[in-house]
Amino acid sequence: MSDGGITILDGNTLRSLHVSLPEDTVTLTGAQVLDFAESEASQSLLGISLPPHLKSSALRRMNIDGVDDVTSFQLTELSQEQASRKLSDYLSAIADELKDDPLVVSILDGNALRMFLEDEDDFAMIAENLFTDLDTEDKGKIGKSEIRNAVVHMGVDMGVPPLEEFPLLNDILKKHGVEEEGELGQSQFAELLQPVIQELADALAKKHVAVIHKIKIVNGSEIRKVLAEEKKLNDAIAKALQGKHKNDQKSTEIIRDFLEKNGKELGLPPSEANEAVILLYDAVFTDIDSGRDASIEEDEFRKLVREILEKFAEQLQANPVYCDLDG
């Protein structure tokens, strides 16, 4: 996929992956099995490095939790049969975790950068905006080294990978002398920025980079877990009931107020995240009988909370909400 587009990694590619250990394998340590599985998973997932939280969550699904458990498993000697089973279990656990908590990825291949370079007006505007942002003292001059900050500031949305994920960018910057002393005016800045961006675009065309966005996809999976865990659900209902005892609002209004303040703990998107969340709440509560008032018995109130959470899970499964984790 080209720059500007995104790919959702939800574990489907891993489910169709058929992986086996080398035929000459006799024994392997747990650490070797994990490394092998993570390498195979990475290749299947556009070459991304598996995030630490994904690996630890997958291990918890295998009842390997905490530093001691992980270390113990890594040191364990496994027969070929045991290693094969653990390999399959780990890949399945990663796939299951991605189903519940998908990753949002962009493939940077230089196309977006080339589009900027091909349109002189676009490039001039980008260069001017970058220069203005970096000229914090409004002197009309910036240090030559600020070219590095300009490129980093462009970011993934404009097709530039993070420095730590594309070390070659450092080499490109050094090649064009951005670490040398000296100052640049706006036109000089644009003249130096252009070949840096051109070479970066060419490098990305040869070696694409997959970048994970800091975006959380809320798809109802966490709500379904809450609905399946009686204690967690009962705790949530008990908190909601406190609101029922304090005022004479309709039951649906009490529950909505409670969920808007505490819903994140139950797997709901933050109520202030974006307009999609407001529409989600409106859709769910419009679908619920708004005639129920504060006088309903506690048992019916409990059923109403469950019914509303089930509606949220259903809506989010059909139309997931994207939340910017940096927002």
Side-chain angles (χ1 to χ4, degrees), residues 6-145:
I6 61 172
T7 296
I8 308 301
L9 301 181
D10 58 6
N12 279 341
T13 56
L14 286 182
R15 295 182 195 287
S16 58
L17 190 64
H18 300 289
V19 178
S20 57
L21 296 168
E23 292 183 5
D24 58 352
T25 300
V26 178
T27 61
L28 285 175
T29 63
Q32 290 173 314
V33 172
L34 296 183
D35 287 345
F36 184 77
E38 288 163 11
S39 174
E40 293 293 326
S42 175
Q43 291 180 46
S44 177
L45 299 172
L46 306 176
I48 65 165
S49 296
L50 302 188
H53 78 268
L54 173 59
K55 293 189 283 190
S56 59
S57 296
L59 288 172
R60 278 196 295 274
R61 287 176 179 266
M62 299 168 62
N63 297 318
I64 301 173
D65 191 10
V67 175
D68 291 343
D69 280 357
V70 173
T71 301
S72 175
F73 176 75
Q74 288 174 330
L75 296 174
T76 302
E77 290 256 342
L78 303 169
S79 67
Q80 185 179 43
E81 181 181 348
Q82 290 172 321
S84 294
R85 188 163 58 251
K86 291 297 183 183
L87 170 63
S88 177
D89 289 347
Y90 191 33
L91 289 172
S92 294
I94 293 172
D96 289 342
E97 190 60 30
L98 286 172
K99 181 181 179 182
D100 286 350
D101 191 8
L103 296 177
V104 181
V105 176
S106 280
I107 307 300
L108 306 184
D109 59 8
N111 279 343
L113 295 175
R114 279 191 291 277
M115 288 174 65
F116 291 134
L117 292 168
E118 288 168 3
D119 189 315
E120 292 183 7
D121 291 337
D122 269 0
F123 180 75
M125 183 176 67
I126 291 167
E128 180 182 350
N129 291 339
L130 288 169
F131 184 87
T132 301
D133 289 343
L134 294 168
D135 184 17
T136 55
E137 297 180 6
D138 200 23
K139 297 191 307 180
K141 295 277 187 181
I142 60 173
K144 197 173 183 181
S145 61

Side-chain angles (χ1 to χ4, degrees), residues 307-323:
E307 182 183 345
I308 288 171
L309 287 176
E310 287 172 348
K311 290 285 185 184
F312 270 112
E314 181 182 315
Q315 289 275 353
L316 286 166
Q317 184 174 16
N319 299 290
V321 171
Y322 291 56
C323 298

